[in-house]
Amino acid sequence: MLLEQLINGLTLGSIYAIVALGFTLVFGVLGIINMAHGEIFMIGAFIGVLVTSVLGLPLWIAFIAAIAVTALLGYMLERIALRPLRGKQGVSHLAPLISTIGVSILLENLSHHIFGAGNHPFRNSFAEIQIQIGSITIYIVQILIFVISIALMLILSYWLSKTKAGKALRATAENLETASLLGVNTKRTITTTVIIASALGGIAGILVGMAFNSVNPQMGLSMGLKGLAIIILGGMGNVKGAMAGGLLLGVAETMIVAYGDSGYRDAVAFITIIFVLLLRPQGLFGKNTSEAGR
Amino acid sequence: MLGELLNPYHLQIASFIMINIILGISIYITLSSGQLSLGNAGFMGIGAYTSALLTIHFELPIFIGVILGALVAGIFGILIGIPALRLSGVYLAIATLGFGEVIRVIFVNWESVTQGAVGLSGVPHLGRELFKTVTAMGFEPEMLGLRNNQVVYLMVLTLLVVINILLIWFFIRQNKSRVGRAFAAIKMDEKAAESMGINITYYKVLSFTQGALLAGFAGALYAHVMAYISPADFAYHRAIEILIFSVFGGSEVIWGAIFGATFMTILPEALRVISEYRYMIYGVILILMMAFRPQGIIDVSLLKWIKNMIKSRRRTDHGTGTKKHN
């Protein structure tokens, strides 16, 4: 029982981690909270529904379609909502926040308009296949979700630490002006970051569709709020922190549902971060700098 | 004549504008000391539920309920404000957003008291209670040629307008006082303000608490104007809406919050004709706004311009003389 719950928790947590990675990449490079990330995630999930349930195509095409659409959304988000604000005189630090909130309102209501308010089933051919190991039941879907998430995290870590583009991204995150002086094309790096973050959101959307078999226009909001909580938990802009924080939150929520009061599931994330912020404002994995918490 | 002009629906919208102005001021006050709080929806909920529960279960007069609602929200403001001082910027925003979310989950789950997601109905209606009092004193709506419901909504609106005038007057005065200058100094540069001998802990908690108190007050009024409240009224969307009042209207001056609250309340009603698309338009407006006028519609220079235009005889600089936008 405990082990089964742990597996459920890790499955959920690995999706949370992917969502949080999108937040943390954008925050790390641009220093802003992308409030539209949850809605981009939701659009990714709907693309999954369209491709698999409506068009009846296989799952891998859903992944490709969702990545393509959300990457495009990310590009548009950067061009329309973020770039015009950058480097402009007299722009408060609130402006990009509000701007992305505008995008999130637009996307939520757009999908509400197109798809309707209700739940959409997300069908896949192997949703019911399960493996029995002793007394523990594991669904193939859970393994698949976990493997995809871990693979994504590994690829992202490799890309960030070893490739030239990844180094450019980290340099930009460290200091935009210095990176620019040293010959990094910061404009392109920023665009790439937002696109990758959005595509991660799109993949997470499909994973959630696979895990819960239902997709609705409101799911972006709660996922977005949890993603925010996770990046605080793991340390803002910290990639490893986002992964660990996501897994932790997934397990914690599953345990609350299994052994506590399921009604408080959505509060777990925020009660945790309120304590984290007060005791260790730089996050569980964050570096202790004077900037933390400022 | 008067009876035909007064449409209860329009009066109701006007009442909402008044409540939203209080909410707009509540976030303006915390922003004026450089703190971004997204917890005002939570404080609003605390005020609303406190006042509603007290008036339903203990049959307290609405006025006492509203005041207690505001006070309880204010106390929560102090409790949250003191630890939240360690945070600033985005961290404070997310922590307070989290606080609001926790409050909402408590409202949903504490069913024995709050009736959960169904919400509280049968909250005493401010207008009807006032109407009872007035008719008991021998007033008849026919004396003004009005229908009963017109009088009900008109009285609510009048009361709210009076409250708003008092509040705006108070905060304009405060902005020109020692407190307002301290807020502005902290907003400009916290460390410099501290080295000038300003007790930043005191003033930051003060501005946070004032915001919470006002939000709770607005929430309590909201409960008695709507006569029905549910946890969904005080969720994330409300928090964002309140933030938008101030940021859209202009977060540097109190008139910005007032204008933003008015405009943003009328806009969805005006767009009702194309109601299918109105929230999409709302989103587009926010994006365009940030791209072309990120400081908000009303800023210090626009106020100066207006002042020059009307060549007001009153010396009104709305206490913004100390603040220059960067």
Side-chain angles (χ1 to χ4, degrees):
Chain A
M1 181 62 186
L2 179 70
L3 207 57
E4 243 178 51
Q5 293 301 342
L6 199 64
I7 292 166
N8 288 341
L10 285 176
T11 314
L12 183 64
S14 58
I15 300 176
Y16 284 164
I18 301 290
V19 174
L21 276 177
F23 271 113
T24 213
L25 279 178
V26 173
F27 184 83
V29 171
L30 283 163
I32 61 162
I33 302 279
N34 176 9
M35 297 297 274
H37 192 64
E39 274 63 37
I40 289 176
F41 151 85
M42 176 266 298
I43 299 274
F46 268 109
I47 298 295
V49 170
L50 274 185
V51 172
T52 56
S53 302
V54 180
L55 301 175
L57 294 170
L59 195 61
W60 62 271
I61 295 181
F63 271 104
I64 292 172
I67 290 170
V69 171
T70 49
L72 183 70
L73 277 177
Y75 177 73
M76 279 158 58
L77 172 77
E78 214 282 315
R79 280 310 297 268
I80 295 167
L82 300 179
R83 193 175 289 179
L85 302 178
R86 213 156 39 234
K88 209 167 148 185
Q89 284 292 306
V91 177
S92 80
H93 63 286
L94 288 180
L97 189 76
I98 309 290
S99 190
T100 53
I101 287 172
V103 176
S104 82
I105 295 175
L106 177 65
L107 289 179
E108 188 191 333
N109 289 290
L110 195 66
S111 64
H112 199 280
H113 183 68
I114 297 172
F115 302 108
N119 275 318
H120 292 254
F122 189 108
R123 290 189 200 89
N124 55 42
S125 47
F126 46 88
E128 298 305 320
I129 304 173
Q130 58 193 51
I131 310 172
Q132 203 77 27
I133 306 171
S135 60
I136 307 159
T137 317
I138 306 174
Y139 288 92
I140 290 282
V141 174
Q142 289 183 315
I143 298 175
L144 193 66
I145 289 170
F146 194 67
V147 168
I148 292 174
S149 308
I150 298 295
L152 268 180
M153 290 182 212
L154 290 176
I155 294 168
L156 193 72
S157 302
Y158 174 80
W159 183 78
L160 279 174
S161 57
K162 295 290 190 299
T163 65
K164 206 170 174 186
K167 279 180 191 158
L169 191 150
R170 284 187 296 141
T172 313
E174 194 79 31
N175 190 320
L176 196 130
E177 272 143 38
T178 315
S180 172
L181 282 174
L182 292 171
V184 175
N185 185 345
T186 50
K187 201 186 242 178
R188 197 173 68 197
T189 307
I190 288 171
T191 313
T192 317
T193 310
V194 179
I195 288 176
I196 290 178
S198 303
L200 282 174
I203 296 173
I206 302 237
L207 294 180
V208 162
M210 283 161 63
F212 300 111
N213 289 324
S214 102
V215 173
N216 63 59
Q218 286 79 38
M219 67 194 271
L221 174 62
S222 71
M223 191 55 100
L225 289 176
K226 279 174 193 165
L228 284 182
I230 293 164
I231 58 171
I232 291 255
L233 189 65
M236 303 286 265
N238 186 318
V239 172
K240 288 194 179 65
M243 298 177 193
L247 291 174
L248 266 175
L249 181 64
V251 173
E253 279 192 355
T254 317
M255 292 302 164
I256 283 284
V257 174
Y259 302 107
D261 186 341
S262 60
Y264 285 93
R265 182 186 147 166
D266 289 337
V268 173
F270 285 106
I271 292 171
T272 319
I273 62 156
I274 288 170
F275 282 107
V276 167
L277 281 173
L278 297 178
L279 301 174
R280 201 178 150 80
Q282 71 270 34
L284 295 179
F285 301 89
K287 273 179 278 183
N288 195 358
T289 61
S290 60
E291 284 300 300
R294 290 274 164 193
Chain B
M1 178 58 199
L2 194 61
E4 282 155 25
L5 277 175
L6 294 170
N7 178 341
Y9 168 71
H10 292 152
L11 292 173
Q12 182 85 333
I13 301 292
S15 301
F16 286 144
I17 292 175
M18 292 302 140
I19 290 174
N20 284 342
I21 287 175
I22 303 178
L23 289 170
I25 297 174
S26 82
I27 202 160
Y28 162 76
I29 286 300
T30 39
L31 278 173
S32 72
S33 70
Q35 306 180 84
L36 169 58
S37 162
L38 295 177
N40 285 18
F43 293 123
M44 183 188 172
I46 292 174
Y49 270 91
T50 308
S51 182
L53 289 170
L54 287 176
T55 46
I56 291 174
H57 293 306
F58 301 101
E59 288 172 4
L60 289 176
I62 290 180
F63 293 97
I64 295 174
V66 169
I67 289 166
L68 286 176
L71 284 180
V72 170
I75 291 166
F76 269 90
I78 299 175
L79 292 178
I80 301 293
I82 291 173
L85 270 182
R86 298 181 48 173
L87 312 166
S88 54
V90 189
Y91 292 83
L92 181 64
I94 298 179
T96 46
L97 190 63
F99 161 76
E101 223 18 49
V102 171
I103 292 292
R104 186 189 64 84
V105 172
I106 290 173
F107 286 154
V108 172
N109 285 290
W110 197 10
E111 286 184 3
S112 57
V113 176
T114 63
Q115 297 182 14
V118 183
L120 280 176
S121 52
V123 181
H125 188 272
L126 183 60
R128 281 195 278 279
E129 297 293 317
L130 277 176
F131 188 71
K132 257 185 238 163
T133 323
V134 177
T135 42
M137 283 156 58
F139 171 81
E140 288 296 327
E142 288 78 31
M143 285 154 63
L144 288 171
L146 296 172
R147 290 191 303 276
N148 284 3
N149 65 345
Q150 284 176 319
V151 174
V152 167
Y153 287 115
L154 193 62
M155 278 193 298
V156 172
L157 180 60
T158 317
L159 184 67
L160 290 175
V161 168
V162 171
I163 290 172
N164 264 297
I165 290 171
L166 289 176
L167 281 175
I168 294 167
W169 174 77
F170 174 81
F171 282 106
I172 289 174
R173 294 285 296 178
Q174 178 179 287
N175 272 352
K176 290 186 204 168
S177 72
R178 182 191 188 87
V179 178
R181 288 194 298 272
F183 286 175
I186 292 170
K187 186 184 184 182
M188 288 292 273
D189 190 331
E190 212 169 278
K191 289 200 179 79
E194 193 170 21
S195 66
M196 294 301 286
I198 294 171
N199 183 348
I200 59 168
T201 310
Y202 172 74
Y203 283 109
K204 280 174 85 173
V205 174
L206 179 67
S207 92
F208 196 86
T209 308
Q210 281 187 338
L213 195 73
L214 270 185
F217 182 60
L221 288 174
Y222 176 83
H224 294 293
V225 169
M226 290 295 285
Y228 165 76
I229 49 174
S230 75
D233 292 334
F234 313 108
Y236 169 83
H237 286 109
R238 177 75 65 179
I240 295 303
E241 198 186 355
I242 298 174
L243 175 67
I244 287 169
F245 290 155
S246 176
V247 173
F248 177 83
S251 54
E252 292 165 3
V253 288
I254 195 167
W255 298 106
I258 295 166
F259 171 79
T262 312
F263 187 83
M264 280 297 174
T265 317
I266 293 174
L267 184 72
E269 303 301 330
L271 293 177
R272 201 169 275 272
V273 195
I274 38 172
S275 58
E276 287 269 297
Y277 303 97
R278 65 178 164 159
Y279 282 102
M280 282 181 242
I281 294 169
Y282 201 86
V284 171
I285 287 176
L286 281 185
I287 301 166
L288 292 179
M289 191 63 205
M290 287 303 113
F292 295 109
R293 200 174 165 82
Q295 73 272 41
I297 297 279
I298 295 181
D299 64 351
V300 179
S301 56
L302 182 76
L303 276 183
K304 276 193 184 136
W305 184 79
I306 294 174
K307 214 163 57 180
N308 287 339
M309 285 296 283
I310 56 175
K311 290 206 165 43
S312 170
R313 270 155 284 150
R314 278 174 54 214
R315 282 173 52 238
T316 48
D317 66 349
H318 311 311
T320 52
T322 51
K323 274 178 278 168
K324 288 196 181 70
H325 70 101
N326 315 307

